[in-house]
Protein backbone atom coordinates (compact mmCIF):
# COMPACT_ATOMS: atom_id res chain seq x y z
CA UNK A 1 0.00 0.00 0.00
CA UNK A 2 1.12 3.58 -0.61
CA UNK A 3 1.15 6.72 1.51
CA UNK A 4 -0.55 9.61 -0.32
CA UNK A 5 0.10 13.22 0.68
CA UNK A 6 -2.73 15.27 -0.82
CA UNK A 7 -1.95 18.96 -1.37
CA UNK A 8 -4.86 21.27 -2.09
CA UNK A 9 -4.92 24.13 -4.56
CA UNK A 10 -5.31 27.84 -4.03
CA UNK A 11 -8.01 28.87 -1.56
CA UNK A 12 -9.05 25.27 -0.98
CA UNK A 13 -8.87 23.08 2.12
CA UNK A 14 -8.25 19.47 3.14
CA UNK A 15 -12.03 18.92 2.86
CA UNK A 16 -11.80 19.04 -0.92
CA UNK A 17 -9.94 15.71 -0.79
CA UNK A 18 -12.40 13.86 1.46
CA UNK A 19 -14.05 11.68 -1.19
CA UNK A 20 -10.74 10.63 -2.71
CA UNK A 21 -9.33 10.00 0.77
CA UNK A 22 -12.24 7.70 1.55
CA UNK A 23 -11.71 5.79 -1.70
CA UNK A 24 -7.97 5.41 -1.20
CA UNK A 25 -8.39 4.31 2.41
CA UNK A 26 -11.04 1.78 1.36
CA UNK A 27 -8.34 0.25 -0.83
CA UNK A 28 -5.89 0.06 2.06
CA UNK A 29 -3.79 3.16 1.37
CA UNK A 30 -2.88 5.77 3.95
CA UNK A 31 -3.61 9.43 3.26
CA UNK A 32 -2.58 12.78 4.71
CA UNK A 33 -4.35 15.92 3.50
CA UNK A 34 -2.11 18.96 3.94
CA UNK A 35 -3.56 22.21 5.29
CA UNK A 36 -1.65 24.98 3.53
CA UNK A 37 -1.49 28.53 5.00
CA UNK A 38 -3.43 29.93 2.06
CA UNK A 39 -5.11 32.72 4.06
CA UNK A 40 -1.86 33.93 5.66
CA UNK A 41 -0.65 37.08 3.89
CA UNK A 42 2.83 36.56 5.38
CA UNK A 43 3.26 32.98 4.08
CA UNK A 44 5.40 32.62 0.95
CA UNK A 45 6.42 29.64 -1.13
CA UNK A 46 8.94 28.51 1.48
CA UNK A 47 6.19 28.31 4.10
CA UNK A 48 3.98 26.26 1.77
CA UNK A 49 6.83 23.84 1.08
CA UNK A 50 7.55 23.54 4.79
CA UNK A 51 3.89 22.75 5.54
CA UNK A 52 3.97 19.93 2.98
CA UNK A 53 7.23 18.53 4.33
CA UNK A 54 5.92 18.64 7.89
CA UNK A 55 2.72 16.80 6.93
CA UNK A 56 4.77 14.07 5.22
CA UNK A 57 7.24 13.64 8.07
CA UNK A 58 7.81 9.99 8.94
CA UNK A 59 6.26 8.58 5.76
CA UNK A 60 8.26 6.23 3.55
CA UNK A 61 8.50 7.15 -0.13
CA UNK A 62 5.17 9.02 -0.10
CA UNK A 63 3.21 9.84 -3.22
CA UNK A 64 2.67 13.60 -3.32
CA UNK A 65 -0.50 14.59 -5.20
CA UNK A 66 -0.47 18.32 -5.96
CA UNK A 67 -3.63 19.99 -7.23
CA UNK A 68 -3.72 23.22 -9.25
CA UNK A 69 -1.68 25.94 -7.46
CA UNK A 70 0.07 23.26 -5.40
CA UNK A 71 2.07 22.44 -8.52
CA UNK A 72 4.19 25.45 -7.55
CA UNK A 73 5.00 24.43 -3.97
CA UNK A 74 5.03 20.62 -4.10
CA UNK A 75 8.28 20.42 -6.14
CA UNK A 76 9.93 22.63 -3.52
CA UNK A 77 8.82 20.20 -0.81
CA UNK A 78 10.46 17.37 -2.77
CA UNK A 79 13.85 18.93 -1.99
CA UNK A 80 13.06 18.52 1.73
CA UNK A 81 11.58 15.01 1.90
CA UNK A 82 12.22 11.63 0.23
CA UNK A 83 9.16 11.51 -2.03
CA UNK A 84 8.70 8.40 -4.10
CA UNK A 85 6.51 10.08 -6.72
CA UNK A 86 5.16 13.55 -7.44
CA UNK A 87 1.80 13.56 -9.23
CA UNK A 88 0.74 16.93 -10.60
CA UNK A 89 -3.06 16.80 -10.77
CA UNK A 90 -4.30 19.35 -13.31
CA UNK A 91 -1.67 21.62 -11.80
CA UNK A 92 0.43 24.63 -12.60
CA UNK A 93 3.93 23.79 -13.84
CA UNK A 94 6.44 26.46 -12.77
CA UNK A 95 9.59 27.58 -14.55
CA UNK A 96 12.84 28.58 -12.80
CA UNK A 97 12.75 32.20 -11.70
CA UNK A 98 9.13 32.73 -12.75
CA UNK A 99 6.83 34.26 -10.12
CA UNK A 100 3.51 32.40 -10.07
CA UNK A 101 1.73 35.69 -10.78
CA UNK A 102 3.38 35.70 -14.21
CA UNK A 103 2.49 32.08 -15.01
CA UNK A 104 -0.93 32.94 -16.41
CA UNK A 105 0.35 35.34 -19.07
CA UNK A 106 3.46 33.29 -19.81
CA UNK A 107 1.37 30.20 -20.64
CA UNK A 108 -1.48 31.97 -22.45
CA UNK A 109 -4.02 30.72 -19.92
CA UNK A 110 -6.76 33.33 -20.40
CA UNK A 111 -6.92 32.92 -24.16
CA UNK A 112 -7.04 29.13 -23.81
CA UNK A 113 -9.92 29.25 -21.32
CA UNK A 114 -11.92 31.65 -23.50
CA UNK A 115 -11.35 29.55 -26.60
CA UNK A 116 -12.48 26.39 -24.81
CA UNK A 117 -15.65 28.09 -23.52
CA UNK A 118 -16.54 29.39 -26.97
CA UNK A 119 -15.98 25.91 -28.40
CA UNK A 120 -18.55 24.60 -25.91
CA UNK A 121 -20.98 27.34 -26.98
CA UNK A 122 -20.73 29.15 -23.63
CA UNK A 123 -20.14 32.76 -22.67
CA UNK A 124 -16.54 32.77 -21.39
CA UNK A 125 -17.45 35.36 -18.75
CA UNK A 126 -20.29 33.23 -17.33
CA UNK A 127 -18.87 29.71 -17.54
CA UNK A 128 -18.50 27.61 -14.39
CA UNK A 129 -14.83 26.68 -14.58
CA UNK A 130 -14.56 24.66 -11.39
CA UNK A 131 -17.65 22.69 -10.37
CA UNK A 132 -19.69 22.15 -13.56
CA UNK A 133 -19.39 18.35 -13.37
CA UNK A 134 -20.44 18.06 -9.70
CA UNK A 135 -23.97 17.33 -8.48
CA UNK A 136 -25.59 20.62 -7.46
CA UNK A 137 -25.49 19.97 -3.72
CA UNK A 138 -21.86 18.92 -3.75
CA UNK A 139 -20.98 21.88 -5.97
CA UNK A 140 -22.58 24.28 -3.49
CA UNK A 141 -20.70 22.76 -0.57
CA UNK A 142 -17.42 22.71 -2.48
CA UNK A 143 -17.83 26.41 -3.23
CA UNK A 144 -18.77 27.20 0.36
CA UNK A 145 -15.65 25.39 1.58
CA UNK A 146 -13.32 27.62 -0.45
CA UNK A 147 -11.16 29.95 1.61
CA UNK A 148 -9.35 33.14 0.74
CA UNK A 149 -6.06 32.84 -1.12
CA UNK A 150 -3.34 35.28 -0.03
CA UNK A 151 -1.20 36.98 -2.65
CA UNK A 152 2.14 36.35 -0.92
CA UNK A 153 3.21 33.15 -2.76
CA UNK A 154 2.44 34.64 -6.16
CA UNK A 155 5.15 37.26 -5.97
CA UNK A 156 8.09 35.00 -5.12
CA UNK A 157 10.26 33.91 -8.07
CA UNK A 158 10.22 30.13 -8.26
CA UNK A 159 13.56 29.40 -6.56
CA UNK A 160 14.78 26.13 -8.10
CA UNK A 161 17.21 26.19 -11.01
CA UNK A 162 15.81 22.91 -12.35
CA UNK A 163 13.07 20.40 -11.62
CA UNK A 164 13.86 18.37 -8.48
CA UNK A 165 15.24 14.85 -8.77
CA UNK A 166 11.94 13.07 -8.14
CA UNK A 167 9.88 10.80 -10.36
CA UNK A 168 7.15 13.05 -11.73
CA UNK A 169 3.87 12.33 -13.48
CA UNK A 170 1.18 14.70 -14.68
CA UNK A 171 -2.47 13.71 -14.47
CA UNK A 172 -4.69 15.70 -16.81
CA UNK A 173 -8.45 15.91 -16.20
CA UNK A 174 -10.13 15.62 -19.59
CA UNK A 175 -13.20 17.69 -18.68
CA UNK A 176 -11.32 20.47 -16.90
CA UNK A 177 -12.60 23.91 -17.90
CA UNK A 178 -10.08 25.90 -15.88
CA UNK A 179 -7.04 24.13 -17.33
CA UNK A 180 -8.43 22.88 -20.67
CA UNK A 181 -6.88 19.67 -21.96
CA UNK A 182 -5.20 21.09 -25.12
CA UNK A 183 -3.75 23.95 -23.08
CA UNK A 184 -2.34 21.82 -20.30
CA UNK A 185 -0.96 19.20 -22.69
CA UNK A 186 1.08 21.95 -24.33
CA UNK A 187 2.29 23.42 -21.03
CA UNK A 188 3.34 20.01 -19.71
CA UNK A 189 5.15 19.16 -22.94
CA UNK A 190 6.97 22.50 -23.03
CA UNK A 191 7.89 22.66 -19.35
CA UNK A 192 8.34 19.04 -18.30
CA UNK A 193 8.92 17.27 -21.59
CA UNK A 194 6.45 14.50 -20.72
CA UNK A 195 3.04 13.33 -21.92
CA UNK A 196 0.30 13.59 -19.28
CA UNK A 197 -1.71 10.61 -18.14
CA UNK A 198 -5.44 11.35 -18.35
CA UNK A 199 -8.50 10.81 -16.20
CA UNK A 200 -12.16 11.84 -16.58
CA UNK A 201 -13.52 14.74 -14.57
CA UNK A 202 -13.21 18.48 -14.23
CA UNK A 203 -10.86 20.65 -12.20
CA UNK A 204 -12.07 19.01 -8.97
CA UNK A 205 -11.98 15.40 -10.16
CA UNK A 206 -11.20 14.34 -6.59
CA UNK A 207 -14.85 15.20 -5.87
CA UNK A 208 -16.54 14.33 -9.16
CA UNK A 209 -14.63 11.14 -10.01
CA UNK A 210 -12.86 9.84 -6.88
CA UNK A 211 -12.99 6.20 -7.94
CA UNK A 212 -11.51 6.82 -11.37
CA UNK A 213 -8.88 9.13 -9.88
CA UNK A 214 -7.90 6.48 -7.34
CA UNK A 215 -7.56 4.00 -10.21
CA UNK A 216 -5.19 6.35 -12.03
CA UNK A 217 -3.12 7.00 -8.91
CA UNK A 218 -2.78 3.28 -8.30
CA UNK A 219 -1.66 2.80 -11.91
CA UNK A 220 0.99 5.50 -11.50
CA UNK A 221 2.21 4.23 -8.11
CA UNK A 222 1.73 0.47 -7.79
CA UNK A 223 1.44 -0.72 -4.19
CA UNK A 224 4.61 -1.81 -2.45
Amino acid sequence: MADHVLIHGGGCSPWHWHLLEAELRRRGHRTVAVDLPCEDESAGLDDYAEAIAAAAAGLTDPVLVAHSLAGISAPLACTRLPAGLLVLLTAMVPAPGEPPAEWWAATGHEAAVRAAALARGEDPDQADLFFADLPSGLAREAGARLRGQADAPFGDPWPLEAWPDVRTAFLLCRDDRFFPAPFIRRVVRERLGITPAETPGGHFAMLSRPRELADRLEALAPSR
Side-chain angles (χ1 to χ4, degrees):
M1 297 297 104
D3 295 332
H4 292 79
V5 179
L6 308 175
I7 311 162
H8 65 75
C12 297
S13 73
W15 178 90
H16 289 91
W17 293 108
H18 77 282
L19 294 182
L20 178 62
E21 281 200 281
E23 182 63 30
L24 289 171
R25 289 173 178 173
R26 185 184 67 80
R27 301 178 187 208
H29 302 289
R30 292 194 298 177
T31 67
V32 175
V34 182
D35 191 2
L36 295 175
C38 60
E39 295 178 290
D40 186 348
E41 289 291 349
S42 68
L45 289 178
D46 187 69
D47 299 291
Y48 283 56
E50 189 58 36
I52 297 167
L59 302 181
T60 302
D61 299 326
V63 178
L64 272 58
V65 184
H67 178 239
S68 199
L69 178 61
I72 303 294
S73 53
L76 306 181
C78 289
T79 66
R80 307 176 185 211
L81 60 92
L85 172 67
L86 170 60
V87 179
L88 300 170
L89 173 63
T90 191
M92 296 169 71
V93 181
E98 177 185 80
E102 297 179 6
W103 184 90
W104 314 96
T107 58
H109 175 261
E110 182 178 359
V113 170
R114 294 186 68 85
L118 291 171
R120 295 191 304 270
E122 296 180 359
D123 179 349
D125 297 320
Q126 300 296 323
D128 179 354
L129 301 181
F130 297 115
F131 306 128
D133 63 332
L134 298 183
S136 58
L138 184 57
R140 284 193 297 272
E141 184 167 9
R145 295 273 187 166
L146 292 175
R147 304 184 288 179
Q149 174 57 57
D151 292 332
F154 289 94
D156 295 341
W158 200 66
L160 300 185
E161 295 182 357
W163 199 257
D165 184 19
V166 60
R167 187 162 70 92
T168 300
F170 195 102
L171 192 49
L172 174 153
C173 296
R174 286 193 292 267
D175 308 306
D176 194 345
R177 298 180 173 196
F178 188 55
F179 289 161
F183 162 77
I184 208 66
R185 287 191 191 102
R186 172 179 58 80
V187 171
V188 172
R189 182 179 66 250
E190 292 174 352
R191 296 196 166 201
L192 291 177
I194 62 175
T195 300
E198 301 192 11
T199 192
H203 197 64
F204 283 81
M206 68 282 277
L207 293 173
S208 65
R209 301 292 191 102
R211 183 177 300 176
E212 292 93 333
L213 183 51
D215 288 343
R216 296 304 297 149
L217 290 173
E218 286 189 324
L220 291 169
S223 297
R224 293 187 291 272

